[in-house]
Amino acid sequence: MTGDEPPPRAVRPSPRPASRPPAPGAAPGPAQGPVAGRPPADLPTTRAPVDISEAATTIIPAVPADATGLLGAIPPAPPKPDPAAGAATAGQPKPRRGERVVKLRPEQTDEGYKSVYSELTRPTIGSRIRAGIRGAGEIMITFGAVVLLFAAYEVWGTTAAIGSHQDTLDQQLAQQWDQPDPTVGPTAAPSATPAPLAGNAIARLYIPRLEKQWVVVEGVTQKDIRYAPGHYPASADPGKVGNFAVAGHRNRATFWRLDELDPGDAIVVETKTDWYIYKVSQTRIVKPTQVEVVAPVPGRPGAKPTKAMVTLTTCNPKFDNYQRLIVHGELTRKQARSAGQPAELG
């Protein structure tokens, strides 16, 4: 030791503070004992030197993450859920390939809240194409429904309407035939029978093969034959020499099954005084311009007739009108109406 160095100072142990007495009225606490990691008060504070040589060192084994709670450490925070796997974290199965997970709550943005359906309703080229195809499909379905309704009306609606008008015409014809003829009588002057007016009932037409009968009206305009077969005004009267020509629509209530007639089938016409029985002689299909089929001698315009005939005309094929179906018949016999119905009607 040199003379310039100061003498070493003696180290005094710091006095231990006395324990404080308990506050008045406070519950007595546990007995004060030695604190963990701190030496008792009666032991000296002088620490023994620590051996830090290499032989005294060792490696502390790693502690598992799930055991940190046992050591008093704070467990790590759970990982944040992935938005794409929201369904899986909520206890639902993980979405499969091609599926999308949509948020269930609106998202707040600078422009306000964003709808949870905004991503699904955003128009794209594919969505526009699908919308166009869907719209076209709906139009086609609607058009098909209208066509079906029209077909149903043609089958059932038109048939019901024609049947109702036929009943009315039949009653009018019966009343007309029951009235006395003013041109017949001991004091009546002979005069020509007036021509029937358009749309008036003139006769009854029967086709036993088809089990059908109609009241025939005068005229062949669309208005005249809407609910009944019509007589060509320029053709012969029933039973007279010439051609008694009748036109009718090709619907289920009128001449729908006219193509089923064969040669020899009966066509019966009833007038106020007589029954006229014709037999089918020919069936053919012609163009709409071939009007010579209703001439006094069918197919020979200008020729003088020598026998009584009947001709029935209608559209062909069914549901169209670019052709005409023609049925010719020849008068085979005549029977007075007072003698009752002919045998052909059963």
Side-chain angles (χ1 to χ4, degrees), residues 36-118:
R38 184 178 298 178
D42 54 353
L43 296 179
T45 58
T46 306
R47 298 182 179 180
V50 180
D51 184 7
I52 56 174
S53 63
E54 281 188 23
T57 61
T58 184
I59 299 175
I60 299 176
V63 181
D66 55 354
T68 55
L70 300 176
L71 303 178
I74 300 175
K80 294 183 179 181
D82 187 2
T89 58
Q92 299 180 1
K94 185 177 181 181
R96 294 173 296 181
R97 183 176 182 182
E99 293 181 349
R100 294 183 60 185
V101 178
V102 183
K103 296 180 180 179
L104 299 179
R105 293 184 179 181
E107 181 181 356
Q108 186 176 10
T109 62
D110 296 339
E111 299 178 357
Y113 281 94
K114 182 179 180 182
S115 171
V116 296
Y117 302 105
S118 60

Side-chain angles (χ1 to χ4, degrees), residues 27-313:
Q32 298 292 332
V35 180
R38 184 178 298 178
D42 54 353
L43 296 179
T45 58
T46 306
R47 298 182 179 180
V50 180
D51 184 7
I52 56 174
S53 63
E54 281 188 23
T57 61
T58 184
I59 299 175
I60 299 176
V63 181
D66 55 354
T68 55
L70 300 176
L71 303 178
I74 300 175
K80 294 183 179 181
D82 187 2
T89 58
Q92 299 180 1
K94 185 177 181 181
R96 294 173 296 181
R97 183 176 182 182
E99 293 181 349
R100 294 183 60 185
V101 178
V102 183
K103 296 180 180 179
L104 299 179
R105 293 184 179 181
E107 181 181 356
Q108 186 176 10
T109 62
D110 296 339
E111 299 178 357
Y113 281 94
K114 182 179 180 182
S115 171
V116 296
Y117 302 105
S118 60
E119 294 296 332
L120 301 178
T121 58
R122 180 182 300 174
T124 61
I125 296 178
S127 64
R128 289 189 176 96
I129 294 175
R130 288 191 296 270
I133 295 175
R134 183 166 53 251
E138 292 176 356
I139 293 175
M140 295 301 293
I141 292 174
T142 304
F143 179 75
V146 171
V147 172
L148 289 177
L149 290 175
F150 177 76
Y153 170 76
E154 285 293 319
V155 174
W156 292 288
T158 304
T159 301
I162 292 176
S164 177
H165 280 77
Q166 280 287 310
D167 293 340
T168 303
L169 291 172
D170 190 78
Q171 294 176 5
Q172 294 176 358
L173 189 62
Q175 294 176 2
Q176 177 184 338
W177 287 353
D178 289 341
Q179 295 177 359
D181 191 349
T183 62
V184 177
T187 60
S191 61
T193 303
L197 300 177
N200 284 3
I202 63 171
R204 291 191 182 101
L205 176 66
Y206 302 83
I207 302 182
R209 169 71 180 276
L210 307 181
E211 298 181 351
K212 292 287 187 179
Q213 71 178 62
W214 304 273
V215 175
V216 180
V217 298
E218 185 69 17
V220 292
T221 65
Q222 290 294 328
K223 181 180 179 181
D224 298 332
I225 65 175
R226 184 176 182 181
Y227 302 111
H231 170 240
Y232 284 84
S235 65
D237 292 334
K240 303 299 182 182
V241 175
N243 190 9
F244 174 60
V246 178
H249 283 304
R250 193 75 179 272
N251 54 46
R252 293 186 178 273
T254 316
F255 286 167
W256 180 261
R257 300 171 55 196
L258 200 63
D259 57 325
E260 299 180 17
L261 293 180
D262 297 325
D265 289 338
I267 299 175
V268 182
V269 179
E270 179 187 9
T271 64
K272 183 177 181 180
T273 58
D274 299 295
W275 297 92
Y276 299 98
I277 296 88
Y278 300 85
K279 297 293 184 179
V280 175
S281 59
Q282 184 183 12
T283 300
R284 55 177 173 163
I285 297 175
V286 300
K287 297 178 180 179
T289 56
Q290 294 180 253
V291 295
E292 64 271 12
V293 295
V294 296
V297 179
R300 296 171 57 190
K304 185 177 180 179
T306 58
K307 55 185 177 181
M309 298 189 63
V310 65
T311 298
L312 307 180
T313 68

